[in-house]
Amino acid sequence: AVNAQNGAKWVALLEKVATHQDTDAFTELFDHFAPRVKGFLMKSGADHAVAEECAQDVMVTVWKKAAQFDPARASVATWIFTIARNRRIDMLRRDRRPEPEDLTWGPEAEPDQLDVMSLQQESELLISAIASLPEKQRVMIERAYFGDLTHSEIADETGLPLGTIKSRIRLALERLRHSLS
Amino acid sequence: MITHHLSDKLLMAYSAGTLPEAFNLAVATHIAMCDECRARLASYDALGGAVLEGIADDSATISAPSLAATLSRIKAQEPMERPYAAATTTQPAEGWTLPEPLRSYVGGDIEAVKWRSVGGGVRQALIPTSENATARLLYIPAGSAVPDHGHHGMELTLVLQGAFADEEDCFSRGDIEIADEGTEHQPVAQAGLDCICLAVTDAPLKFRGLLPRLAQPFLGI
Ligand SMILES: [Zn+2]
Ligand SMILES: [Zn+2]
């Protein structure tokens, strides 16, 4: 069952890790996310031992980079997904994945709390929307993220409910651009 | 104003981390110039987060000593990384012809490119990536044409300077053209600035004229 409060809970725990090196908060995050990261890597083709080792790497990175997490632009689950994806790319040693230069908040320009709240809520709604998709469509999306589909095999019309979360992210980006200029 | 954007397929595959390196380079370079696609990409990352969240607890359990092992690794590590410094809050696309990450691949801005002439005033520079796809910079003098061609696979053309037009449309800085099997076109650089593009293909192009076909091994495209 999806709880609209979950997103805010993970953000608060991650902030405790970032500001107080709080191992209890980290343990809660670990208990929830480490098995999921391991599952993600196994569904991407890693065996049990490699997946467990890499899931530990991912959680070490979560600890180290906790202060760089931006709750106005991503949920904790999304942020951990990107770390796990990058770990999988390193693991496969096939194709490098360069990234655009990041846009980050300066020290004086903290993210707007309203942006944070609505983004976290939208992320929880997206989780329940994916869970309630027709089986066939949900499986197609999962296979794409597990690395089981090439770009040409991905459906042209994904019909995914991404509209509102995209507008939230867009708004946060605009505020960020504004604070930079 | 950018009017030609990345497709949903490409954004999803980039988010999933399953594209060839050359395609990743074109996608990332477009996003550096385009906040619309930056926000769309973040929404595809959110989809990845939802997929991760949806992996049921019972489908993967982590062994009991794993938490202790992770905590002891954390204690042995160097200090945590600090928040990004204000110095990194640059506006990436401005002031450079080549935005990051393309600039790092070239080793500098446009002056650092080692061009090779391929005839008709057109120049190119191959950018080393994994062999699953090919990336190259193209320099097309204003008013000149790229040889008429079709495609075996997918071709992405991202404009970095000037503009080009083909039978369908016009593309200027930041615009990306996505051509596939069904596309047969002859891009022509517009008058004014010489046109510089990043072109990425996952299969060799099919040239129609006899001369370009003979030249294909030399062009390496
Ligand atoms: Zn775009
Ligand atoms: Zn073409």
Side-chain angles (χ1 to χ4, degrees):
Chain A
V2 173
N3 179 343
Q5 302 301 309
N6 271 346
K9 181 178 110 185
W10 305 131
V11 171
L13 289 170
L14 195 56
E15 272 168 7
K16 282 186 185 171
V17 171
T19 52
H20 300 109
Q21 289 88 53
D22 185 328
T23 47
D24 290 342
F26 180 78
T27 299
E28 261 193 81
L29 288 165
F30 187 96
D31 287 345
H32 183 76
F33 286 107
R36 287 176 167 79
V37 169
K38 185 180 169 187
F40 172 76
L41 295 168
M42 287 180 73
K43 284 167 190 289
S44 301
D47 71 25
H48 186 81
V50 169
E52 179 128 348
E53 176 78 28
C54 291
Q56 288 183 22
D57 295 344
V58 168
M59 295 312 292
V60 169
T61 304
V62 166
W63 173 276
K64 283 180 73 173
K65 292 189 184 290
Q68 294 170 2
F69 168 68
D70 178 356
R73 279 186 290 163
S75 69
V76 174
T78 296
W79 185 63
I80 294 179
F81 156 71
T82 62
I83 296 171
R85 170 202 62 205
N86 292 350
R87 187 66 190 84
R88 183 184 70 198
I89 291 168
D90 290 347
M91 186 177 88
L92 297 176
R93 291 173 199 287
R94 233 182 10 227
D95 287 280
R96 284 178 60 205
R97 183 180 175 282
E99 295 191 18
E101 213 166 9
D102 200 8
L103 301 172
T104 53
W105 308 88
E108 322 78 32
E110 284 295 306
D112 187 293
Q113 279 312 304
L114 194 66
D115 282 348
V116 172
M117 250 174 50
S118 22
L119 193 274
Q120 297 303 324
Q121 278 167 3
E122 292 295 342
S123 304
E124 292 299 316
L125 289 174
L126 183 61
I127 291 169
S128 46
I130 301 306
S132 59
L133 282 176
E135 174 81 3
K136 216 174 140 197
Q137 200 182 354
R138 191 173 47 76
V139 168
M140 189 281 289
I141 294 163
E142 287 171 354
R143 287 183 58 203
Y145 282 88
F146 298 148
D148 216 15
L149 295 179
T150 68
H151 62 276
S152 51
E153 288 165 339
I154 292 172
D156 278 313
E157 286 302 322
T158 52
L160 295 168
L162 294 178
T164 55
I165 198 161
K166 195 203 85 183
S167 349
R168 294 292 177 198
I169 294 161
R170 174 90 220 198
L171 203 66
L173 280 178
E174 274 161 19
R175 294 219 177 119
L176 176 56
R177 287 281 192 203
H178 187 72
S179 79
L180 288 176
S181 60
Chain B
M1 171 89 186
I2 297 173
T3 54
H4 296 87
H5 296 280
L6 294 162
S7 64
D8 288 330
K9 281 168 110 153
L10 280 167
L11 280 165
M12 194 196 259
Y14 178 75
S15 172
T18 52
L19 286 176
E21 182 179 5
F23 280 67
N24 285 333
L25 180 61
V27 169
T29 305
H30 175 82
I31 289 168
M33 296 188 280
C34 180
D35 276 359
E36 175 65 21
C37 288
R38 197 185 274 271
R40 287 170 68 209
L41 172 66
S43 71
Y44 278 100
D45 286 347
L47 186 59
V51 168
L52 179 74
E53 187 63 54
I55 294 172
D57 287 300
D58 55 355
S59 74
T61 49
I62 202 126
S63 76
S66 218
L67 172 62
T70 305
L71 286 172
S72 70
R73 281 179 59 188
I74 284 168
K75 293 214 175 71
Q77 296 262 335
E78 279 128 72
M80 297 168 85
E81 293 177 26
R82 303 202 317 187
Y84 292 115
T88 63
T89 58
T90 49
Q91 303 214 20
E94 278 139 50
W96 305 91
T97 303
L98 307 181
E100 286 290 10
L102 181 56
R103 203 159 65 239
S104 293
Y105 270 79
V106 168
D109 204 11
I110 203 74
E111 299 77 29
V113 179
K114 292 177 186 65
W115 296 106
R116 287 180 45 196
S117 172
V118 292
V122 177
R123 291 182 275 165
Q124 74 160 357
L126 287 169
I127 297 174
T129 57
S130 74
E131 59 199 15
N132 297 332
T134 307
R136 64 195 195 281
L137 285 166
L138 278 178
Y139 186 106
I140 312 154
S144 300
V146 171
D148 193 3
H149 61 277
H151 309 88
H152 289 288
M154 185 183 258
E155 178 191 49
L156 305 181
T157 310
L158 173 64
V159 182
L160 300 158
Q161 176 188 298
F164 75 83
D166 62 14
E167 295 79 350
E168 299 278 311
D169 234 324
C170 183
F171 299 82
S172 52
R173 177 169 167 86
D175 281 333
I176 190 158
E177 182 183 38
I178 302 170
D180 58 20
E181 310 271 335
T183 318
E184 193 150 315
H185 63 170
Q186 181 161 34
V188 178
Q190 302 298 87
L193 271 177
D194 293 340
C195 183
I196 297 171
C197 300
L198 172 66
V200 170
T201 47
D202 62 0
L205 305 178
K206 298 180 278 194
F207 286 108
R208 286 213 309 200
L210 179 62
L211 202 66
R213 199 190 304 278
L214 286 173
Q216 203 161 354
F218 301 103
L219 295 176
I221 52 180

